[in-house]
Amino acid sequence: MPTCLDWRTGLLEGRAQVTSTAIPVLLRRGAVAVAAGRVALGLTALGWPSVPARPWVGAAADDLAARVFGRALGARDVALGLGALAALQRPAAEPGSACAWVAAGALSDALDVAASLASWRELPRMTRWLVAASAGGAALTGAAAALTSATSRAPSASS
């Protein structure tokens, strides 16, 4: 069904309704997307560490220390991403360790934001926003997915 914007109310007619049962599904899909992106970023950092590091630290990304550190962070991201993807392969009704893996990724992203904020003035002016926004968005998505997963299975744990 096509949608159109009603100029009087500013609302879309025929838009999809997001129900409370659809939210966990959407958050799970978001967690899968973040985990897959984490694996891709980690593999890139392992092979070409200056590529993902340059937006974060600028020209210093070419230094030996930054390349070694970038590869280490890449390995972390590959491990967190693959762990989350493997755990998220379970049915949504049986989240198992998915909550823990997704929460661990969200924590690492939140700490990346904190590290960026701690050095905000020294980071490249244009790209620091990109790094903070992408890490912050991944942290929020992961935290919401982990919380939803944890609360949706809590009643069944007491049964």
Side-chain angles (χ1 to χ4, degrees), residues 71-132:
R71 283 192 174 104
L73 288 177
R76 170 199 82 166
D77 280 341
V78 169
L80 285 171
L82 289 176
L85 286 173
L88 287 164
Q89 291 301 311
R90 293 179 175 202
E94 302 172 19
S97 63
C99 177
W101 278 104
V102 171
L107 177 61
S108 73
D109 291 327
L111 294 174
D112 288 349
V113 172
S116 296
L117 292 175
S119 301
W120 190 256
R121 292 182 183 196
E122 291 83 21
L123 295 175
R125 178 164 271 174
M126 297 300 290
T127 55
R128 64 186 173 193
W129 290 100
L130 172 69
V131 171

Side-chain angles (χ1 to χ4, degrees), residues 33-60:
V34 168
R38 185 182 305 285
V39 171
L41 182 67
L43 290 174
T44 302
L46 285 171
W48 305 277
S50 62
V51 172
R54 189 172 317 285
W56 202 358
V57 298

